[in-house]
Amino acid sequence: MSALHELARQLREEDTPIAGHVVEVAGPTEPADEYAVVMEAVREGYLLHYAESRLLADYDPDLALLAGDYLYALGLDRLAAMGDTEAVAVLSELISRCAQLHAEGRGDDVDPLWVEAGEKLRK
């Protein structure tokens, strides 16, 4: 199961306001490791704050903000449970930097940060 499929499955099964908004995920379902699921959770959190969700439909702006925060926390919590504090720091910095760039009106500059963070997590 791909990381995005795994994340969607988890969100559907949880007893949260998000569960009823989770859509079916298109695309291949190749296996994914825990780091990939974490990256997808954090990426989805980002998308809920600044763009369009890949996993949720029919949500209002308030739910998007809360769901985005939840997914950020979910990803970081999974890393902390794995004991990878260095990766927690990488993704925390990524979330912070993305927020800063959007606040400065420089949202187009965030894509390279995602690539860089992904490369750091693979090391």
Side-chain angles (χ1 to χ4, degrees):
M1 181 178 297
S2 77
L4 200 55
H5 286 89
E6 171 61 25
L7 182 59
R9 182 201 58 74
Q10 178 182 343
L11 293 175
R12 265 189 226 99
E13 291 177 358
E14 294 176 343
D15 184 23
T16 68
I18 299 169
H21 296 274
V22 180
V23 299
E24 290 299 319
V25 178
T29 59
E30 70 279 349
D33 67 16
E34 186 69 7
Y35 285 97
V37 176
V38 165
M39 278 298 285
E40 291 294 1
V42 173
R43 179 70 177 174
E44 190 64 20
Y46 167 81
L47 292 174
L48 282 158
H49 280 241
Y50 301 106
E52 290 293 318
S53 173
R54 301 165 297 167
L55 293 181
L56 303 182
D58 301 322
Y59 55 88
D60 63 36
D62 291 333
L63 180 63
L65 183 62
L66 293 171
D69 288 350
Y70 176 75
L71 284 157
Y72 282 152
L74 177 70
L76 295 174
D77 182 61
R78 287 177 88 138
L79 278 178
M82 293 165 38
D84 193 340
T85 56
E86 184 176 320
V88 170
V90 167
L91 290 184
S92 296
E93 176 63 25
L94 171 65
I95 293 165
S96 174
R97 188 74 177 113
C98 287
Q100 179 182 359
L101 288 171
H102 277 279
E104 294 171 355
R106 298 173 46 210
D108 291 341
D109 294 341
V110 302
D111 285 345
L113 300 178
W114 285 95
V115 173
E116 181 182 330
E119 289 171 353
K120 286 180 181 178
L121 291 184
R122 282 188 218 106
K123 290 181 180 178

